[in-house]
Amino acid sequence: MGFDGKRVVADLEELRRLTGDENGAQRVAWTPMWLKAREWFQAKGRALGLEHHLDAAGNSWTTLRGDSDRVLILGGHLDSVPNGGWLDGCLGVLASFEVMRGLMEEYGGRPPVTIRVVDWADEEGARFGRSLFGSSAFAGTHSIAADRGRTDREGVRLEDVLAGCGVMVEEIGAASLEREHAAAYLELHIEQGPVLERLGLPLGVVMGTKGVERHAITFYGQEAHSGSTPMGVRRDALAAAAKLALEIRPIAMKHPDAVATMGSVKTFPGIVTAVVGRCEATLDMRDLDAGVLAQMLAEARAASERFAAEEGCTVEWSRIWSIEPIPFDAGLVGMCEEAIVEVAGVCPRLPSGPLHDAAEVMRLGIPTVMMFCQSLNGLSHNKAEDTRVEHLVMAVEAFGGLARRAAGWVAG
Amino acid sequence: MGFDGKRVVADLEELRRLTGDENGAQRVAWTPMWLKAREWFQAKGRALGLEHHLDAAGNSWTTLRGDSDRVLILGGHLDSVPNGGWLDGCLGVLASFEVMRGLMEEYGGRPPVTIRVVDWADEEGARFGRSLFGSSAFAGTHSIAADRGRTDREGVRLEDVLAGCGVMVEEIGAASLEREHAAAYLELHIEQGPVLERLGLPLGVVMGTKGVERHAITFYGQEAHSGSTPMGVRRDALAAAAKLALEIRPIAMKHPDAVATMGSVKTFPGIVTAVVGRCEATLDMRDLDAGVLAQMLAEARAASERFAAEEGCTVEWSRIWSIEPIPFDAGLVGMCEEAIVEVAGVCPRLPSGPLHDAAEVMRLGIPTVMMFCQSLNGLSHNKAEDTRVEHLVMAVEAFGGLARRAAGWVAG
């Protein structure tokens, strides 16, 4: 009885051997290695006599029928980035499977509610630049028109690659049929950040995924000769951008969980002998509170205009992408806290900076929560990604406790 | 009698029609358009019955024999950057020719000293990246080994292109033969900066060319996820570089003529969703005083190390190129001031930020001075490069006055 974390660790190690190499995990969605990982996983379900099918978007569903049609979904994703880690995404799938197995045993083969494990298709978007592919089809937030035009670096079309995996791009919206009777969604994931490690704690409950404001900012000054242009008459676009790169930090640090990042700076003409005439920068700001995020954005804009004026420059903003914060379900957050306290004694509350499939599900109004497990050195998307085995074992136990509570709530 | 500035302006306009198009001057060295410009110019010398020859590096010499073998050299360069201006380089050549003509007339065909006009080969280095080609061969500061290996963007070898113009790369050092009896060198050039325009003055004497310290600076931090890495634990290489981009300004502004420029910043991985793990920047610092330049460099280095430490980063410096300041000859500077005051009433003293062929000549110990003529909006290397006609006329008159004084000094 119970949930066997060591079995999950053994499964993860087997998957690593099967689908990784010396550079890390190679389970990029829609490639033979990913299909191999999925086949390996589906065989586990068959061995337990469970139903399995792929939906119209390529999401993989393993179903354990219960007394009620109401469905508790547990999930993750088997796909990885190229040269990825051994935990990101697949910990969620394999822990979900173990928890389903444990509940199946606990309830003598028939739990009070139907339990399904989903392996979302192409969470990473590593090859075609469209992350959360399968979960957004499930949620109805995909765009067939946009997806049809996508190509990989070699110019291979997403549409053709999907067809090779049995997925017709016009039909992916039918994945929404899987929502029927869906009553809750739970996902276990590694943190991919340093917070739990710094707290010295193995597990935390995720309060939601942060909203994101992602912008391209261009400062226009005057290109000028580096030797003949006195300092006092320059209109240096880099200087304005440098001020903003530093100012976004106090703007974010007023709020406990907010982050602001200037990840790219490009200078034009970008030569050693010319004052920068144009500087293109990117800004990525995130917070769990929509009001905080809006305030940060307004402050960054105002600062950029002040710096542009100080430097005799102008500035233009262009939104690349944005998403509202998505807070998880309060009831499930409470159950997750109880389950973690039971195993680890204490449960910190964390926001999620990265997006996850869970956010797509929560946007539909299906009560959702995520549990985070500590990451060593905050690393992920990298073969150095790692978590202590004892923390993985605790994670599976706590996730099982959460699923048991959620199943009871769904049944009731 | 005298020096006819309007004739020089007419010549410049004719040259523009002959060798420019709607995008500007197209006299890139070693191209048919450059050879056409040189042939057009050489015909002017032939019409006056003057000697002409090309030296081993392709510098074009037009000689007026005088009573003494001692030589006063006047010069400039006919080559331009692609889409260049109508004045940069060729004003010097055509004004020199007019001054030689005027002195020839003044002295009844035989001045007290020999006068030569040089059109230096490939001052700009626009095609092969080697500026001051001809003057450095004259000065003996060239490197045949380096020049032999140079190619243009299409992979065409400099060596082959030179051969097509009758210049053998092994023999360019023989251009040093032209130094014989060289007693002084004078050059008129547009300022290529905004200083004279801001002073409201047409002409200035150049005190020398600034020394240059040109460095590549790399900050190493830690690449991290923009969403999951709290602000307080980041090691942001861009933040360290941004602090330096701002700090080089007060470092330079302590000195009246110093400049410091961060012209290029590159971020790695350089994506919107990652804290910058590595930031590569360039720094170009210039001053006329070697001690000031050394102090600026030391202060910038110390600042970079302080900022790296503050941001949890490390920093590495790599020298790209450097050159000592080259002060011009004090006696000729005095004569240049007199000549300018005679024409314009007042003469500001300026440093030259850009390098010029004159610096190569002065490095040999041949007394040298340059005169600058106002540039509109400080623009050059661009079809928008321009100077008021009345200023060009004053420049030719003042340059003639300088040459007359220098000839007297060389003779004495």
Side-chain angles (χ1 to χ4, degrees):
Chain A
M1 298 290 273
F3 310 106
D4 185 351
K6 287 190 177 157
R7 174 152 48 189
V8 173
V9 173
D11 283 346
L12 287 163
E13 285 170 346
E14 187 182 343
L15 182 62
R16 170 152 66 173
R17 281 192 303 275
L18 270 177
T19 60
D21 60 23
E22 70 281 9
N23 297 314
Q26 304 299 349
R27 295 182 302 276
V28 174
W30 321 110
T31 63
M33 197 67 96
W34 177 65
L35 295 173
K36 183 178 178 183
R38 296 191 123 193
E39 176 50 38
W40 168 85
F41 174 68
Q42 289 159 26
K44 293 185 177 293
R46 281 197 297 274
L48 291 187
L50 297 170
E51 294 174 31
H52 178 267
H53 75 283
L54 294 176
D55 70 20
N59 299 310
S60 164
W61 298 90
T62 302
T63 301
L64 168 64
R65 295 276 159 200
D67 291 332
S68 163
D69 282 343
R70 287 170 60 78
V71 178
L72 171 65
I73 308 174
L74 317 175
H77 59 95
L78 288 177
D79 74 300
S80 75
V81 296
N83 306 322
W86 73 300
L87 298 169
D88 182 356
C90 54
L91 169 63
V93 175
L94 293 167
S96 292
F97 187 80
E98 171 58 21
V99 166
M100 180 161 71
R101 198 203 53 72
L103 291 174
M104 186 176 171
E105 200 175 292
E106 198 166 308
Y107 290 106
R110 189 150 183 102
V113 298
T114 297
I115 301 175
R116 305 178 75 187
V117 173
V118 61
D119 163 24
W120 299 107
D122 201 358
E123 193 268 353
E124 299 287 3
R127 183 165 168 199
F128 293 97
R130 195 331 173 187
S131 58
L132 311 183
F133 178 89
S135 56
S136 67
F138 172 84
T141 56
H142 65 292
S143 158
I144 290 170
D147 289 333
R148 181 176 278 122
R150 290 179 193 275
T151 56
D152 69 9
R153 286 189 187 182
E154 275 73 46
V156 179
R157 298 193 313 160
L158 173 60
E159 182 175 359
D160 297 337
V161 168
L162 292 183
C165 296
V167 173
M168 299 301 121
V169 76
E170 307 74 30
E171 293 168 16
I172 61 176
S176 63
L177 295 174
E178 306 297 329
R179 294 181 212 161
E180 198 183 18
H181 304 306
Y185 175 69
L186 312 177
E187 185 173 333
L188 170 67
H189 206 283
I190 56 167
E191 182 198 339
Q192 302 177 276
V195 176
L196 288 170
E197 189 179 38
R198 286 175 179 257
L199 292 171
L201 296 174
L203 300 168
V205 61
V206 184
M207 303 305 293
T209 56
K210 291 180 181 174
V212 181
E213 284 285 356
R214 199 172 284 170
H215 295 259
I217 306 168
T218 304
F219 290 94
Y220 296 90
Q222 175 65 55
E223 176 184 341
H225 192 292
S226 67
S228 60
T229 313
M231 299 306 287
V233 306
R234 296 180 174 204
R235 297 166 50 208
D236 184 346
L238 175 62
K243 288 180 173 179
L244 185 62
L246 299 172
E247 185 67 13
I248 58 171
R249 306 194 302 175
I251 287 173
M253 290 173 85
K254 282 188 241 171
H255 313 285
D257 292 321
V259 286
T261 306
M262 191 176 281
S264 167
V265 169
K266 292 180 182 164
T267 49
F268 301 89
I271 55 175
V272 65
T273 54
V275 175
V276 175
R278 184 170 100 250
C279 186
E280 298 178 359
T282 64
L283 180 61
D284 178 284
M285 305 183 104
R286 307 192 190 202
D287 195 73
L288 204 50
D289 181 297
V292 166
L293 190 58
Q295 183 191 336
M296 286 164 59
L297 179 61
E299 288 178 9
R301 264 184 195 275
S304 75
E305 278 154 21
R306 190 168 73 246
F307 299 145
E310 286 172 11
E311 300 296 332
C313 297
T314 58
V315 64
E316 285 179 9
W317 284 60
S318 158
R319 175 176 272 122
I320 298 169
W321 185 73
S322 68
I323 188 170
E324 291 285 296
I326 299 172
F328 288 145
D329 180 78
L332 289 175
V333 165
M335 291 178 223
C336 187
E337 284 182 311
E338 285 175 24
I340 289 174
V341 168
E342 198 168 76
V343 169
V346 55
C347 176
R349 297 177 157 217
L350 310 174
S352 172
L355 277 173
H356 289 285
D357 294 306
E360 289 294 306
V361 181
M362 184 70 213
R363 284 167 89 178
L364 284 171
I366 298 172
T368 294
V369 76
M370 289 184 76
M371 181 185 291
F372 272 170
C373 179
Q374 192 191 103
S375 294
L376 291 174
N377 303 309
L379 291 172
S380 70
H381 284 196
N382 189 299
K383 69 171 175 179
E385 169 188 291
D386 204 9
T387 291
R388 289 196 192 87
V389 167
E390 63 266 34
H391 290 171
L392 293 172
V393 170
M394 291 169 85
V396 172
E397 193 181 340
F399 192 62
L402 166 60
R404 190 186 288 121
R405 284 170 174 82
W409 173 68
V410 168
Chain B
M1 299 287 275
F3 311 106
D4 185 351
K6 288 192 176 155
R7 174 150 50 188
V8 173
V9 172
D11 283 348
L12 287 164
E13 285 171 346
E14 187 181 344
L15 182 62
R16 169 152 68 173
R17 282 193 302 275
L18 271 177
T19 59
D21 60 23
E22 70 281 10
N23 298 314
Q26 305 299 349
R27 296 182 301 277
V28 175
W30 320 110
T31 63
M33 198 67 95
W34 177 65
L35 295 173
K36 182 178 178 183
R38 294 191 123 193
E39 175 50 39
W40 168 84
F41 174 67
Q42 289 158 27
K44 292 185 176 296
R46 282 198 298 273
L48 291 186
L50 297 170
E51 294 174 31
H52 177 268
H53 75 283
L54 295 176
D55 70 20
N59 300 310
S60 163
W61 298 90
T62 302
T63 303
L64 168 65
R65 295 276 159 200
D67 291 332
S68 162
D69 282 344
R70 288 170 59 78
V71 178
L72 171 65
I73 307 175
L74 316 175
H77 60 93
L78 289 177
D79 73 300
S80 74
V81 296
N83 306 323
W86 73 300
L87 299 168
D88 182 356
C90 55
L91 170 63
V93 175
L94 292 167
S96 292
F97 187 80
E98 172 58 21
V99 166
M100 180 161 72
R101 197 203 53 72
L103 291 175
M104 186 178 173
E105 200 175 294
E106 197 165 310
Y107 290 106
R110 189 152 183 100
V113 297
T114 297
I115 300 175
R116 304 178 75 185
V117 173
V118 61
D119 163 24
W120 300 107
D122 202 358
E123 193 268 354
E124 299 286 3
R127 183 165 167 199
F128 293 96
R130 196 329 174 187
S131 57
L132 312 182
F133 178 89
S135 56
S136 66
F138 172 84
T141 56
H142 64 292
S143 158
I144 290 171
D147 289 334
R148 181 176 279 121
R150 290 179 193 277
T151 56
D152 69 9
R153 286 188 187 182
E154 275 74 47
V156 179
R157 299 193 313 160
L158 172 60
E159 182 175 359
D160 297 337
V161 168
L162 292 183
C165 296
V167 173
M168 300 300 121
V169 77
E170 309 74 29
E171 294 168 16
I172 61 176
S176 64
L177 296 173
E178 307 296 329
R179 295 181 211 162
E180 198 184 17
H181 306 304
Y185 176 68
L186 312 177
E187 186 173 332
L188 171 67
H189 205 283
I190 55 167
E191 182 198 339
Q192 301 177 274
V195 177
L196 288 169
E197 189 179 38
R198 284 173 182 259
L199 292 171
L201 296 173
L203 300 168
V205 60
V206 184
M207 302 305 293
T209 56
K210 291 180 182 174
V212 182
E213 285 285 355
R214 200 171 283 169
H215 295 258
I217 306 168
T218 304
F219 290 94
Y220 297 90
Q222 175 66 56
E223 176 184 341
H225 193 291
S226 67
S228 60
T229 313
M231 300 306 287
V233 307
R234 297 180 174 204
R235 296 166 50 208
D236 183 347
L238 175 62
K243 287 180 173 178
L244 185 62
L246 299 172
E247 185 68 13
I248 58 171
R249 307 194 301 175
I251 288 173
M253 290 173 86
K254 282 189 241 172
H255 313 285
D257 292 321
V259 287
T261 306
M262 190 175 282
S264 169
V265 168
K266 292 179 183 165
T267 48
F268 301 89
I271 55 175
V272 65
T273 54
V275 176
V276 175
R278 185 170 99 249
C279 185
E280 299 179 357
T282 64
L283 180 61
D284 177 285
M285 306 184 102
R286 308 192 190 203
D287 195 72
L288 205 49
D289 181 297
V292 165
L293 191 57
Q295 183 191 337
M296 287 164 59
L297 178 61
E299 288 178 10
R301 264 185 195 276
S304 75
E305 279 153 20
R306 189 167 74 245
F307 299 144
E310 286 172 11
E311 300 296 331
C313 298
T314 58
V315 62
E316 285 179 10
W317 284 61
S318 158
R319 175 175 272 123
I320 298 170
W321 184 74
S322 67
I323 188 171
E324 292 285 295
I326 299 172
F328 288 143
D329 181 78
L332 289 176
V333 165
M335 292 178 225
C336 187
E337 284 182 311
E338 286 176 22
I340 289 174
V341 169
E342 200 168 76
V343 170
V346 56
C347 176
R349 296 176 160 219
L350 310 174
S352 172
L355 278 173
H356 289 286
D357 293 307
E360 289 294 305
V361 180
M362 184 72 212
R363 284 167 88 177
L364 284 171
I366 298 171
T368 294
V369 75
M370 288 184 77
M371 180 183 291
F372 271 172
C373 179
Q374 191 191 105
S375 294
L376 291 174
N377 304 310
L379 291 172
S380 69
H381 285 195
N382 189 299
K383 71 171 176 179
E385 171 188 290
D386 205 8
T387 291
R388 288 196 191 89
V389 166
E390 62 266 33
H391 289 170
L392 293 172
V393 170
M394 291 168 85
V396 173
E397 192 181 340
F399 192 61
L402 165 60
R404 190 187 287 122
R405 284 170 174 84
W409 174 69
V410 168

